[in-house]
Amino acid sequence: MTMASEEKQPFTVGSKSFTAVAINTAAKAGEWIKSKLGDFSSLNIKTSPHDLVTEVDKGSEMMIRNLIMTHFPTHSILGEEGVEPGPEASIRALEQVSGAEFLWIVDPVDGTTNFVHGFPFYSVSIALAYKGEVIMGVVYDPNRDELFVAEKGKGAYVRGRRTQVALQESLQESLVATGFPTDRAVSLPLNMKGLAAVAPKVRNIRSGGSAALHLAYVAAGRLNGYWELGLNSWDMAAGVLLVQESGGKVTDTQGKPYHLQVRNVVATNGHIHQELVDVLEQAEATGS
């Protein structure tokens, strides 16, 4: 192939190298995190006693940043531990990188409270956005050694098998999940109103404590739906693509399309989506 013909080849945004780097990075960080279980020295409070950070979170993010920048030194990275605590700081941080062509969105330990207590439900979440649109996402659960991966337009997979959302068509048949916000003043009371409204209408409710894994479980058909208030882009970006590429639907709690600025989210198999959104709206529990 001549140089001229090489130059005419189109640039492929969904390059496999992006996904390969994300998979390798998530796996290495996840195994390192697991090795530190019960062996960390610092525990700090961020916005409240319910919002925790350890040196493992910071070390994991540093490892992820270094690995990504080794391969893609011109790309931008938005990571949880590089942002000041609080929703306003999170919004500002996202705005500051909104113009980036390639933006990696990283949660180095999604489920820090679980990690601190030795509860084995936490994950590493890595997504890549191209001009504001998420094109690749990886969620790795080191305890189950499960790696969920999605590329836009190419489907989502776990353990090499394509994921597909659950088939149940009503809330009555559904197992759904939620998360309890760290904001105890505003978001938690709203979430409790939503919980009270949803609980009688579904088969049962779970709350695992990792938004990324909840989304991955919706994608894999293990949950029919999930909602939570007060999340950040790094909690959701990878998981949202997993759900979408598995045939599911993700919106904000009012049913409007998902984008990186969304903080209150509903993700479902699609069949129960409007029913769940309607219940939250009727309970005035959308947080919007």
Side-chain angles (χ1 to χ4, degrees):
M1 183 180 287
T2 66
M3 181 63 70
S5 62
E6 285 179 351
E7 291 174 350
K8 291 179 182 178
Q9 295 301 310
F11 174 68
T12 303
V13 171
S15 169
K16 288 185 179 179
S17 63
F18 296 154
T19 307
V21 169
I23 289 172
N24 180 59
T25 299
K28 286 184 176 179
E31 287 306 309
W32 181 76
I33 293 164
K34 187 179 178 183
S35 75
K36 295 294 182 180
L37 191 63
D39 184 30
F40 58 91
S41 56
S42 69
L43 173 61
N44 296 303
I45 292 171
K46 293 168 75 173
T47 58
S48 73
H50 320 284
D51 191 7
L52 307 176
V53 64
T54 70
E55 78 269 20
V56 176
D57 298 78
K58 296 176 181 178
S60 175
E61 181 162 318
M62 184 174 295
M63 177 188 295
I64 292 168
R65 283 178 177 270
N66 289 342
L67 287 168
I68 291 173
M69 294 308 291
T70 296
H71 294 278
F72 307 110
T74 63
H75 289 191
S76 298
I77 300 178
L78 176 64
E80 178 176 12
E81 302 315 320
V83 178
E84 290 296 317
E88 294 81 9
S90 299
I91 293 168
R92 286 196 304 272
L94 183 57
E95 288 175 349
Q96 289 168 1
V97 293
S98 61
E101 182 178 32
F102 288 100
L103 175 64
W104 294 80
I105 305 166
V106 173
D107 194 338
V109 184
D110 186 59
T112 299
T113 299
N114 288 345
F115 173 79
V116 166
H117 287 271
F119 188 78
F121 196 80
Y122 51 85
S123 59
V124 178
S125 178
I126 300 175
L128 176 62
Y130 175 68
K131 295 183 176 179
E133 181 179 19
V134 179
I135 60 167
M136 183 275 301
V138 168
V139 174
Y140 180 55
D141 175 356
N143 289 287
R144 290 175 56 87
D145 191 27
E146 284 192 326
L147 191 141
F148 301 83
V149 57
E151 289 181 308
K152 186 169 179 60
K154 297 182 180 180
Y157 296 82
V158 61
R159 297 186 184 274
R161 294 184 178 182
R162 190 154 186 166
T163 52
Q164 188 68 36
V165 292
L167 299 177
Q168 284 80 9
E169 295 187 354
S170 69
L171 279 181
Q172 187 177 10
E173 304 171 277
S174 296
L175 180 66
V176 302
T178 189
F180 296 102
T182 56
D183 168 20
R184 270 20 191 188
V186 178
S187 294
L188 182 62
L190 287 173
N191 192 70
M192 296 305 290
K193 288 173 65 177
L195 184 63
V198 173
K201 297 182 182 295
V202 297
R203 180 161 285 163
N204 219 319
I205 292 182
R206 299 288 181 261
S207 182
S210 168
L213 280 179
H214 280 149
L215 289 164
Y217 277 28
V218 173
R222 301 171 187 175
L223 291 168
N224 300 92
Y226 161 67
W227 90 96
E228 188 164 351
L229 308 180
L231 293 174
N232 294 300
S233 57
W234 48 77
D235 300 308
M236 295 184 280
V240 165
L241 187 63
L242 287 170
V243 174
Q244 292 170 335
E245 288 296 317
S246 300
K249 184 173 182 177
V250 185
T251 67
D252 69 9
T253 46
Q254 294 182 311
K256 298 175 184 176
Y258 170 82
H259 50 80
L260 288 176
Q261 289 76 26
V262 165
R263 294 180 55 80
N264 306 319
V265 72
V266 175
T268 73
N269 63 354
H271 303 300
I272 68 166
H273 200 90
Q274 193 58 52
E275 192 179 359
L276 180 53
V277 167
D278 288 345
V279 171
L280 294 173
E281 187 169 354
Q282 290 163 13
E284 298 182 345
T286 63
S288 302

